[in-house]
Amino acid sequence: MSGKRSDNFTEKFAGRLTNIVLLGFFTTLCCLPVISAGAAFTALNVSTKAYLYEDDDKPLRIFFASFREHFSLSSKVWLLHIPALAVLIWDLAYYRTSDSTIDILASAAVFVLIMFVLLELQMVFVIIATEKENTVGYCLKKALDISLHCFGYSVMLLLFTVTVIAVSVFLFRGLLLVMPGVVSFLHWQFLPEILRKYKFRERKEKQ
């Protein structure tokens, strides 16, 4: 009996690992044309959620279907973030070249802004993946709102992302190809609870 359980566990673990690797690899592949990265991130969230919580055993099929379905909205959202982050990073680099008090304060303010943009960015593709509303403004507003009201969780998710990137870059470069799948798997261990708490808060405010 224990041998059978062990075989089932091994099979389940191998299947899950394979799907995480494949989803990560195809997400990376779809990100190579930078313009399609947003659709890839949305598709990754849709397929990871379906695989982990909806018992769908064909996450790649869902990935490509979602990639096509959400391409337009996800690309618009993504292309809004690229120049915003570029300007903020340029400003941060500029202010860090000076030791004056004003420039140090400006550098700190820009750094905080970058962190908020990153917190919102990691949530906006989750919103596109889980909400029926399909306007850019709605998705951006809701992503920022969730990031602020679930701030502790949002920071934790960002730390997961940074940790996986650091491990991929400095310890195991081969992980870079499948890194998005690993990050998404870690995030979706907590995202259902984050979304549940936020929706509960929304209902409570409407009463």
Side-chain angles (χ1 to χ4, degrees):
M1 189 73 173
S2 61
K4 198 170 185 179
R5 285 180 181 173
S6 178
D7 290 342
N8 288 338
F9 173 80
T10 304
E11 185 179 340
K12 186 177 180 181
F13 176 79
R16 180 160 290 191
L17 182 62
T18 300
N19 281 307
I20 290 171
V21 167
L22 287 173
L23 286 172
F25 174 75
F26 281 107
T27 301
T28 302
L29 202 62
C30 291
C31 285
L32 292 181
V34 177
I35 192 173
S36 63
F41 295 141
T42 298
L44 178 61
N45 278 291
V46 172
S47 51
T48 303
K49 176 177 177 285
Y51 179 61
L52 293 179
Y53 300 104
E54 297 168 13
D55 296 324
D56 193 295
D57 59 352
K58 295 180 180 178
L60 282 179
R61 176 178 56 80
I62 293 179
F63 177 88
F64 289 111
S66 177
F67 183 85
R68 291 189 297 271
E69 179 185 353
H70 298 290
F71 185 86
S72 178
L73 176 60
S74 300
S75 297
K76 289 174 186 175
V77 168
W78 173 241
L79 291 175
L80 281 174
H81 285 84
I82 292 176
L85 282 171
V87 169
L88 287 171
I89 291 170
W90 188 89
D91 284 345
L92 182 65
Y94 172 79
Y95 287 124
R96 285 178 65 85
T97 59
S98 173
D99 292 331
S100 71
T101 303
I102 292 177
D103 284 342
I104 291 173
L105 290 173
S107 176
V110 171
F111 180 79
V112 170
L113 280 174
I114 291 173
M115 289 300 102
F116 276 114
V117 172
L118 291 177
L119 290 174
E120 177 268 327
L121 181 61
Q122 74 177 355
M123 193 60 66
V124 71
F125 299 112
V126 175
I127 299 304
I128 298 173
T130 57
E131 297 277 339
K132 293 181 180 179
E133 180 67 43
N134 60 354
T135 63
V136 172
Y138 173 86
C139 294
L140 293 175
K141 180 179 180 297
K142 186 138 191 184
L144 183 60
D145 200 31
I146 292 176
S147 298
L148 293 176
H149 285 93
C150 302
F151 187 73
Y153 276 115
S154 299
V155 171
M156 180 184 66
L157 296 184
L158 187 59
L159 288 174
F160 282 155
T161 303
V162 171
T163 301
V164 173
I165 292 173
V167 170
S168 302
V169 171
F170 297 110
L171 296 179
F172 186 47
R173 298 260 174 109
L175 192 60
L176 283 169
L177 284 174
V178 299
M179 180 183 65
V182 176
V183 171
S184 184
F185 176 79
L186 290 173
H187 282 195
W188 274 99
Q189 305 306 307
F190 301 93
L191 280 169
E193 179 65 12
I194 294 171
L195 296 173
R196 186 192 66 79
K197 284 188 173 183
Y198 180 78
K199 286 178 181 178
F200 176 77
R201 175 188 157 274
E202 265 191 327
R203 287 195 298 270
K204 197 171 180 181
E205 285 183 351
K206 288 178 181 178
Q207 289 177 354

